Amino acid sequence: MIKILKSSAIKHLTRAAEKVKTQTIQIQKTATNPLERTPVQDTFSAAATSSVTKNEAKKMTSATQHQTLVDYEFIKKEKIFNDEIMFLLQPKTTANGAKVFTPNQTKVINLAVKKATFYKGMAKRLETMGNDTIGRVIKDIKTVFGGEKNYGKYLHARSKNGVPSSKESVSIYNKIIKEFKDQKVNTEIMNILSRRLYQKPYKLLDKTEKELVKLSVFDGDVKFESRDYKAFEKILTTGKRDYDEAIEWIKDLIGLRMVIPENANMTVAAQYLTDSILSGKLNVTRVSNYHSKHIYPYISQDTVKLWKQSVPGIELVQTSAIRKQNGYTTTQMNILHPVKDKSGKIRYVWVELQLRSEQLNKIGQIEHLIYDILAKKNIGKNIPELEKYYESIGIEKAVFEVFGNPKKEAAYTDYERAMYSWIRHNENPETKKRISVQKPILTDFGLGEYEPLLSFESLQQIDDTANILKSRYGKPNLKKVTPKK
């Protein structure tokens, strides 16, 4: 029955999506940037309109509708709402082809633009705060690990062009929008739609039920009522609470990674952390000990439980979220760290600290190419030589072939998990001493034809070549040009 529902939902969803596309294809594009102007208000009282002619009022209304259309396109591009909501906010087309929004739609769209603009400003503000404090944070955290002469030398920060850098404003903004949708839109607005169909919150719906909610909206079976727009206004009105929430949502404003080489002892790093957490030198708020079944985490479960028992307020993530199917292993901590700004005032910034081995860190970096391809990112970085290289070896084609086939994808996931397990087995003196484990080979997982491209050894070679091309051709042309007289 579930399979039938899924099939039906997908068919109807495809049909409905085409319908939406047809309805909105005529919307004219505009070069107006909605962030560079104040949206026109479209609420006119009787007293206000009595002093203007009907033609003037009509022109004002027309201008408002046009501006709302511009705003609608803007929030659609920013993806601040789900597809269902954007469908319910879309304009009606009059007999003469004009796009018309209702007063309720106009108000919500106007507030959504202000909310997105606020979040963009917050993203830039947070990036600046991160860059202003990152130097001090690095110095403080290195001290926690014994300074440069001890394990502090293994600490690395997120960087840009080789310089320690805060999380960039674009990434911050995208994260804020994601959290806004998850914690506000899906719990306030999508709940309205889901409860009318299933009498339960949107987050509790399974994939099929969510598809059917979307279908019901697209088919006109579920609509917004006047009171629903009031709920919209509530979550879109911006105040101090939104400022505080945006800060809380960016737990990795400053990203640090402790990368332990093969000749170092991981237990020493764990002891540094324990001493600092229990003494209050490090304010850890959350610990995620990522590892898969039968793979040893970097910090033992007994140690992280000691942290939680000794320091009230530390959250230990113990859900299935830490069990990565592909075997991904790392210990990740969120830290609220105090630093002094230029005026001497204490400010608190969020730091994400990850701990892993040098070998596993290298594997994680080269494996990232696969996820960039699947996310359809520009892996060529607009470097012609790099683009030609990737095209010549057929890396994108191979990735889509494997991850476009459920059986091949499952086999490759098994290969990844076996590789992470092999690495952790050899990093742990106790397990390495007890039993010898063979290094996984992609061919053993039925994917021998992809060995030249998708084995970890091949990915390493591809990554090395890509880095050479980036360093050789990826730098901007700084040659001085003498202007013609």
Side-chain angles (χ1 to χ4, degrees):
M1 181 64 178
I2 292 177
K3 290 184 178 180
I4 294 174
L5 278 174
K6 284 187 176 182
S7 175
S8 174
I10 292 171
K11 286 180 181 178
H12 286 297
L13 187 57
T14 303
R15 173 173 57 79
E18 289 299 322
K19 180 180 176 182
V20 175
K21 184 177 179 181
T22 302
Q23 290 174 338
T24 58
I25 196 71
Q26 295 178 351
I27 296 179
Q28 296 179 350
K29 294 182 180 179
T30 175
T32 304
N33 183 350
L35 299 181
E36 295 178 352
R37 50 92 190 109
T38 302
V40 180
Q41 297 295 325
D42 70 332
T43 52
F44 303 102
S45 65
T49 55
S50 64
S51 61
V52 298
T53 66
K54 288 185 177 180
N55 285 337
E56 287 175 331
K58 187 175 181 181
K59 286 181 180 179
M60 292 170 71
T61 303
S62 177
T64 300
Q65 292 291 345
H66 172 73
Q67 188 59 65
T68 304
L69 183 59
V70 173
D71 291 345
Y72 174 81
E73 287 297 300
F74 170 68
I75 63 172
K76 184 166 71 172
K77 176 177 174 291
E78 296 300 315
K79 297 180 179 178
I80 194 170
F81 294 135
N82 301 13
D83 291 342
E84 298 93 311
I85 294 175
M86 290 307 300
F87 182 84
L88 292 170
L89 290 176
Q90 70 178 347
K92 303 296 182 184
T93 304
T94 63
N96 62 0
K99 304 293 181 181
V100 179
F101 295 89
T102 67
N104 278 329
Q105 287 177 319
T106 299
K107 189 168 186 178
V108 165
I109 291 169
N110 179 268
L111 287 171
V113 169
K114 291 180 179 178
K115 179 69 81 174
T117 304
F118 168 76
Y119 283 149
K120 282 183 179 289
M122 275 299 304
K124 291 179 181 178
R125 189 171 180 175
L126 285 170
E127 180 184 23
T128 299
M129 183 171 72
N131 283 325
D132 287 345
T133 57
I134 191 169
R136 184 69 217 181
V137 170
I138 294 171
K139 185 177 179 180
D140 290 347
I141 304 298
K142 281 189 174 184
T143 301
V144 165
F145 288 97
E148 284 286 355
K149 292 184 179 180
N150 292 296
Y151 276 53
K153 63 188 173 185
Y154 302 135
L155 191 73
H156 305 275
R158 181 194 289 118
S159 63
K160 184 178 181 180
N161 299 324
V163 179
S165 174
S166 163
K167 190 180 184 78
E168 292 185 328
S169 60
V170 172
S171 297
I172 293 173
Y173 175 72
N174 290 337
K175 172 65 173 175
I176 290 176
I177 291 296
K178 180 182 181 301
E179 292 294 332
F180 171 72
K181 288 168 70 173
D182 286 347
Q183 299 190 33
K184 301 293 183 179
V185 176
N186 288 345
T187 56
E188 298 289 338
I189 310 304
M190 294 305 295
N191 275 359
I192 294 172
L193 305 178
S194 67
R195 286 186 184 279
R196 285 178 187 160
L197 289 173
Y198 294 103
Q199 290 77 49
K200 60 182 178 180
Y202 182 75
K203 287 192 174 183
L204 295 183
L205 302 185
D206 60 28
K207 187 176 179 180
T208 300
E209 289 171 331
K210 287 181 179 179
E211 288 174 345
L212 291 174
V213 168
K214 183 178 290 189
L215 171 63
S216 298
V217 171
F218 285 178
D219 280 351
D221 297 330
V222 180
K223 298 179 180 179
F224 282 142
E225 299 175 5
S226 295
R227 65 172 183 250
D228 301 333
Y229 285 100
K230 294 295 181 182
F232 254 124
E233 292 174 26
K234 185 178 179 181
I235 70 166
L236 291 173
T237 301
T238 303
K240 184 181 183 302
R241 182 185 62 181
D242 298 270
Y243 173 86
D244 295 335
E245 283 178 341
I247 293 175
E248 285 291 313
W249 287 339
I250 310 301
K251 294 289 199 299
D252 61 341
L253 180 63
I254 294 176
L256 301 178
R257 184 173 292 169
M258 172 68 65
V259 182
I260 308 295
E262 189 176 350
N263 60 349
N265 191 335
M266 189 69 70
T267 58
V268 175
Q271 190 59 52
Y272 273 121
L273 282 169
T274 298
D275 292 343
S276 298
I277 291 171
L278 299 186
S279 66
K281 291 181 181 178
L282 209 57
N283 183 17
V284 174
T285 62
R286 179 184 172 103
V287 180
S288 301
N289 220 11
Y290 290 106
H291 66 289
S292 187
K293 194 174 182 180
H294 306 309
I295 297 180
Y296 291 93
Y298 279 114
I299 304 293
S300 73
Q301 290 295 84
D302 289 340
T303 298
V304 293
K305 285 179 180 177
L306 171 66
W307 297 350
K308 180 175 174 59
Q309 292 168 0
S310 304
V311 182
I314 290 183
E315 178 188 359
L316 176 57
V317 180
Q318 295 178 300
T319 64
S320 58
I322 65 168
R323 298 288 189 183
K324 294 300 182 180
Q325 191 176 2
N326 69 344
Y328 173 78
T329 308
T330 191
T331 297
Q332 180 177 299
M333 289 161 279
N334 295 124
I335 301 168
L336 189 59
H337 193 71
V339 289
K340 284 185 179 180
D341 62 16
K342 295 176 182 179
S343 65
K345 184 179 179 181
I346 296 292
R347 304 172 72 181
Y348 288 86
V349 293
W350 281 109
V351 180
E352 181 182 277
L353 173 64
Q354 292 189 22
L355 187 142
R356 62 179 63 171
S357 72
E358 191 173 55
Q359 188 174 9
L360 191 139
N361 184 62
K362 186 181 294 183
I363 290 291
Q365 287 179 326
I366 63 174
E367 191 182 26
H368 221 279
L369 176 62
I370 292 175
Y371 300 108
D372 285 346
I373 291 172
L374 292 173
K376 298 183 179 180
K377 292 185 178 181
N378 178 16
I379 60 172
K381 308 293 184 184
N382 295 321
I383 302 172
E385 290 78 8
L386 184 58
E387 291 172 348
K388 290 177 183 176
Y389 170 66
Y390 283 139
E391 185 177 354
S392 67
I393 63 175
I395 182 67
E396 291 179 282
K397 180 176 179 291
V399 168
F400 285 122
E401 280 182 3
V402 169
F403 287 85
N405 183 309
K407 288 185 178 180
K408 289 182 179 180
E409 181 180 359
Y412 195 83
T413 300
D414 290 341
Y415 167 69
E416 290 177 295
R417 186 167 54 251
M419 181 61 76
Y420 280 114
S421 179
W422 176 77
I423 291 172
R424 288 297 295 125
H425 175 87
N426 286 287
E427 288 173 346
N428 190 318
E430 293 300 318
T431 56
K432 187 177 182 179
K433 183 169 60 177
R434 287 201 310 266
I435 188 171
S436 176
V437 178
Q438 291 292 325
K439 185 176 182 180
I441 301 173
L442 193 55
T443 303
D444 294 340
F445 295 84
L447 298 173
E449 61 185 299
Y450 300 102
E451 183 83 31
L453 285 174
L454 299 183
S455 69
F456 281 106
E457 293 79 10
S458 298
L459 286 171
Q460 179 66 69
Q461 293 175 1
I462 291 170
D463 189 61
D464 291 341
T465 302
N467 286 330
I468 292 172
L469 293 173
K470 288 176 189 176
S471 63
R472 186 179 299 169
Y473 302 106
K475 295 179 181 179
N477 185 5
L478 301 178
K479 184 178 179 181
K480 187 175 180 180
V481 179
T482 305
K484 294 181 181 179
K485 296 182 179 180

